[in-house]
Amino acid sequence: MSSDILEGRDAAARAVADIPDGATVLIGGFGPAGQPLELIDALSRHGARDLTVVNNNAGNGDYGLAALLKTGHVRKMICSFPRQSDSWVFDDLYRSGRLELEVVPQGNLAERMRAAGAGIGGFFTPTSVGTPLAEGKEERTIDGKDYVLEYPLHGDYALVKAHRSDRMGNLVYRKTARNFGPVMATAASTTIAQVNDVVATGELDPEVIVTPSIYVDKVVLTS
Amino acid sequence: MSSPLEKTPLSKDGIAKLIADDIPTGSFVNLGIGQPTLVADHLDLERGVVLHTENGMLGMGRAAVGDEIDPDLINAGKVPVVETPGASYFHHADSFAMMRGGHLDVCVLGAFQVSVTGDLANWHTGAADAIPAVGGAMDLAMGAKDTYVMMTLFSKDGSAKLVEKCTYPLTGVACVSRVYTDHGVFEITPDGVRARSTYGATLDELRERTGLDLLD
């Protein structure tokens, strides 16, 4: 089945129009690289409330993810590294108790989404053993080494940025803007990718496709 | 007679150079954000040392300048960098599998405190109003074959950062193998902490100031 390719001025708005209140939304990007700005802005305008957002960070400056947080529509942020020199929007919301925070080691964040996408019910990792982030979690010693049980992190929607798509929704990325995109695309019930370029099916070398179209529901062409 | 070098504490660059010189040829290395990035300035990449950045790249080069700056090509500190020949890109789950799976030879991290048994505290001061941010520190500390710490030996208030037991929240347990500081290089061994070299202080002075039984 091919993905829906949405083009034109309101393409991003149409792509996110179904996202309901209370949804968990995985948003790609590592700082500004790979952040799907047009989709995030469309979600900000869409107005769904009570959202849980998963991203590595918690917004930079006043644009993109930071602007989404500023709408007050995000109830909870799940991320590894919220505090940055330009995360004032998050800092203010968090300190005033208007935004819940779950801090997850970055490798657990990635692996929990990988597990969700791969049908894995949980995994044991040495990351966080003996630290406050392991408190209350099941631990097990395997072959003499201590591990903590982590559960999959599933999204209702994933918003990712890729470099190029074909008409089927196969995706390729660009440099370190790839980051969380491919793993988030596997972990959500509905994945929406914004791309700079859409080519005819067959024009992408099958050897270099990073996200196969099976994971992609909608593609938004941004200029 | 002591050499002049031993009479003064090392500068940050001096510490970075020591670490760079100790990294074996052909190593795959991750440098944490902050001070450890200075190590890159002293690494001879032609020696075959390959830098990993957690946001999905092996073969990371120096900071980008001018026309080289590409917003899609940044390091873990979100600073634009360049590619080196043989570089590769991969997604985050692969990048952290690489780190957590024990494939990196060395990581260099900053620290608030390191304990004599190699416990590391570098992500949270524990202060009530602090915003916790862990990033990839716990994954790196536990995953790399060798975790080196680069820090000053004393905090601004004069208290030692190499301690019997960490008082800050931990990043990882028994994960640090070597600590590079302005006043000395210390090996964490099963017998205790061995001072490999000291700078600007004698070993006895450091024993006095840290309150630790530093081995010679």
Side-chain angles (χ1 to χ4, degrees), chain A residues 83 106-108 174-176, chain B residues 70 72 83 92 100 131 135:
Chain A
R83 186 189 64 228
Q106 202 171 147
N108 284 358
R174 194 167 173 277
K175 302 184 186 283
T176 57
Chain B
D70 179 341
D72 286 345
E83 279 172 11
H92 242 83
R100 291 149 68 106
I131 295 175

Side-chain angles (χ1 to χ4, degrees), chain B residues 8-19:
Chain B
T8 33
L10 292 175
S11 64
K12 283 178 193 170
D13 266 318
I15 306 172
K17 184 172 186 326
L18 266 189
I19 298 172

Side-chain angles (χ1 to χ4, degrees), chain A residues 161-183:
Chain A
K161 181 184 179 182
H163 178 52
R164 179 173 290 145
S165 163
D166 64 15
R167 307 295 301 185
M168 285 185 73
N170 290 304
L171 304 178
V172 294
Y173 299 80
R174 194 167 173 277
K175 302 184 186 283
T176 57
R178 179 183 306 194
N179 58 68
F180 282 93
V183 70

Side-chain angles (χ1 to χ4, degrees), chain A residues 81-150:
Chain A
F81 207 81
R83 186 189 64 228
Q84 298 182 94
S85 58
D86 57 355
S87 60
W88 50 78
V89 172
F90 169 83
D91 297 359
D92 179 48
L93 288 167
Y94 176 73
R95 289 215 160 97
S96 60
R98 286 175 287 165
L99 184 59
E100 206 180 311
L101 171 66
E102 180 181 343
V103 170
V104 179
Q106 202 171 147
N108 284 358
L109 194 65
E111 189 67 11
R112 287 176 62 191
M113 289 189 281
R114 196 193 75 79
I120 291 167
F123 58 91
F124 285 97
T125 173
T127 295
S128 92
V129 167
T131 79
L133 296 186
E135 279 168 18
K137 292 180 178 172
E138 188 177 333
E139 295 197 24
R140 190 173 303 178
T141 305
I142 302 171
D143 285 341
K145 193 169 171 179
D146 295 332
Y147 296 84
V148 174
L149 175 63
E150 292 288 345

Side-chain angles (χ1 to χ4, degrees), chain A residues 30 84, chain B residues 31-34 37 53-55 60 74-80:
Chain A
F30 182 90
Q84 298 182 94
Chain B
L31 303 175
I33 57 175
T37 55
T53 182
E54 66 189 17
N55 52 316
M60 181 181 73
I74 60 174
N75 66 14
K78 281 101 182 171
V79 175

Side-chain angles (χ1 to χ4, degrees), chain A residues 19-25 47-53 73 75 156-157:
Chain A
I19 298 181
D21 291 353
T24 295
V25 186
R49 292 175 176 273
D50 202 26
L51 300 172
T52 296
V53 168
H73 295 167
R75 181 179 60 81
D156 298 306
Y157 286 81

Side-chain angles (χ1 to χ4, degrees), chain B residues 30-67:
Chain B
N30 185 298
L31 303 175
I33 57 175
Q35 273 194 33
T37 55
L38 289 175
V39 175
D41 298 341
H42 299 277
L43 274 176
D44 179 5
L45 294 181
E46 294 190 358
R47 239 179 355 110
V49 173
V50 177
L51 293 180
H52 169 267
T53 182
E54 66 189 17
N55 52 316
M57 180 185 195
L58 275 172
M60 181 181 73
R62 57 175 168 73
V65 290
D67 291 347

Side-chain angles (χ1 to χ4, degrees), chain B residues 24-211:
Chain B
T25 296
S27 297
F28 290 90
V29 176
N30 185 298
L31 303 175
I33 57 175
Q35 273 194 33
T37 55
L38 289 175
V39 175
D41 298 341
H42 299 277
L43 274 176
D44 179 5
L45 294 181
E46 294 190 358
R47 239 179 355 110
V49 173
V50 177
L51 293 180
H52 169 267
T53 182
E54 66 189 17
N55 52 316
M57 180 185 195
L58 275 172
M60 181 181 73
R62 57 175 168 73
V65 290
D67 291 347
E68 293 171 341
I69 292 173
D70 179 341
D72 286 345
L73 180 45
I74 60 174
N75 66 14
K78 281 101 182 171
V79 175
V81 291
V82 299
E83 279 172 11
T84 60
S88 55
Y89 296 108
F90 31 85
H91 64 66
H92 242 83
D94 279 352
S95 184
F96 277 78
M98 206 175 277
M99 294 153 75
R100 291 149 68 106
H103 303 282
L104 295 181
D105 297 297
V106 176
C107 76
V108 184
L109 298 171
F112 298 141
Q113 290 175 326
V114 178
S115 83
V116 293
T117 53
D119 293 353
L120 171 66
N122 78 348
W123 72 286
H124 199 336
T125 60
D129 64 339
I131 295 175
V134 66
M138 288 185 180
D139 307 290
L140 265 178
M142 297 309 293
K145 286 177 192 149
D146 267 308
T147 296
Y148 297 168
V149 160
M150 173 178 180
M151 66 179 191
T152 56
L153 185 55
F154 301 100
S155 61
K156 283 178 186 146
D157 69 8
S159 58
K161 293 159 75 175
L162 185 59
V163 294
E164 198 66 44
K165 189 173 173 17
C166 294
T167 53
Y168 288 139
L170 291 187
T171 305
V173 175
C175 54
V176 177
S177 55
R178 201 180 286 164
V179 185
Y180 291 84
T181 76
D182 48 352
H183 284 94
V185 178
F186 305 94
E187 309 272 359
I188 309 289
T189 77
D191 303 326
V193 179
R194 187 175 303 283
R196 193 178 83 178
S197 54
T198 66
Y199 307 94
T202 65
L203 185 53
D204 277 336
E205 286 166 350
L206 293 183
R207 284 178 180 134
E208 173 78 24
R209 286 188 69 188
T210 60

